[in-house]
């Protein structure tokens, strides 16, 4: 896979933009490099010159999306309820980003990510932040740090994929605000915010 720093010219920017939309819409298996190349106004060969495979391109795009999410919603292990609420908000505002990340969880083989996989790297960093918060006495050390992070993330994203549930129109905002409040309350009960 091309390194992040080496993929910076206009062609690669178009490839990355086209691939982001393609993967969000079709997943990894359903995405077509031909469509990505056409949308990026380049050739299929050029796409492969930047990224050795469709999976490598997906991993790069997913890593960028995860970095954007981490910047928009930084993890504060001393306020997991607030983090869950902000994570929910981000996923609701950007459903295409949420779909893109879910495709990777559904389609990529478990345990086969390369050692420099940006998604795995991000998860390791976040779990380490949780572990350090436990060591500092901010979170219950009886839980495994991995479990805390996964439980909070799953609660935060639980309504992001439920577009078909609940009312539509004007009532939707109030309905989703109540869902957000329920997420924050659930995380508060499990992992209370600390000073």
């Amino acid at each position: 896979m091309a390194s992040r720093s080496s993929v910076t010219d206009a062609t690669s920017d178009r490839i990355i933009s086209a691939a982001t939309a393609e993967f969000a819409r079709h997943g990894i298996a359903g995405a077509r490099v031909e469509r990505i190349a056409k949308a990026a106004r380049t050739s299929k060969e050029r796409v492969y010159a930047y990224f050795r495979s469709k999976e490598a391109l997906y991993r790069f795009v997913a890593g960028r999306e995860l970095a954007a999410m981490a910047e928009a919603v930084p993890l504060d292990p001393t306020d997991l309820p607030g983090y869950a609420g902000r994570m929910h908000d981000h996923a609701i505002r950007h459903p295409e980003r949420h779909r893109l990340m879910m495709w990777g969880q559904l389609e990529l083989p478990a345990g086969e990510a390369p050692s420099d996989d940006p998604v795995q790297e991000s998860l390791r960093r976040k779990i380490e932040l949780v572990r350090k918060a436990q060591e500092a006495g901010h979170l219950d050390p009886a839980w495994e740090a991995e479990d805390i992070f996964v439980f909070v993330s799953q609660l935060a994203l639980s309504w992001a994929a439920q577009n078909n549930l609940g009312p539509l129109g004007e009532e939707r905002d109030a309905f989703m605000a109540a869902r957000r409040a329920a997420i924050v309350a659930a995380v508060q009960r499990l992992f209370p915010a600390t000073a």
Side-chain angles (χ1 to χ4, degrees):
M1 175 170 49
S3 72
R4 288 177 190 255
S5 60
S6 69
V7 181
T8 57
D9 64 40
T11 301
S12 67
D13 289 345
R14 291 192 311 270
I15 291 169
I16 292 163
S17 178
T20 301
E22 179 77 6
F23 289 129
R25 256 192 307 274
H26 302 288
I28 303 166
R32 297 291 172 258
V33 174
E34 295 85 6
R35 284 193 301 248
I36 294 169
K38 183 177 180 181
R41 300 182 321 273
T42 191
S43 68
K44 184 177 170 181
E45 293 75 25
R46 188 85 170 142
V47 172
Y48 284 120
Y50 283 100
F51 301 93
R52 69 179 181 272
S53 67
K54 184 169 63 167
E55 183 181 306
L57 177 55
Y58 172 81
R59 288 185 187 281
F60 182 85
V61 166
R64 283 176 52 110
E65 291 300 314
L66 202 58
M69 185 171 167
E71 186 175 321
V73 188
L75 173 62
D76 178 359
T78 65
D79 182 17
L80 292 177
Y83 171 72
R86 292 187 306 276
M87 190 177 204
H88 163 83
D89 295 343
H90 186 78
I92 295 299
R93 277 193 307 270
H94 303 284
E96 71 288 351
R97 288 180 171 171
H98 178 65
R99 276 194 314 275
L100 185 136
M101 299 308 294
M102 293 308 299
W103 283 117
Q105 289 182 358
L106 292 169
E107 295 187 49
L108 292 176
E112 291 185 21
S115 60
D116 64 344
D117 180 64
V119 173
Q120 295 300 315
E121 177 111 358
S122 176
L123 294 175
R124 282 190 290 270
R125 281 193 308 269
K126 289 177 181 180
I127 290 167
E128 187 56 29
L129 282 174
V130 170
R131 188 172 286 113
K132 287 179 179 176
Q134 288 176 296
E135 291 169 0
H138 298 295
L139 289 169
D140 184 350
W143 293 91
E144 293 291 334
E146 293 87 347
D147 290 334
I148 293 173
F149 180 74
V150 168
F151 294 163
V152 170
S153 297
Q154 291 302 306
L155 282 167
L157 299 173
S158 59
W159 280 95
Q162 305 300 328
N163 294 337
N164 58 339
L165 296 178
L168 300 175
E170 294 177 13
E171 299 172 6
R172 184 73 178 169
D173 288 345
F175 177 80
M176 289 309 293
R179 303 296 67 79
R180 182 193 196 279
I183 289 167
V184 171
V187 174
Q188 177 66 27
R189 286 187 185 184
L190 285 170
F191 311 109
T194 62

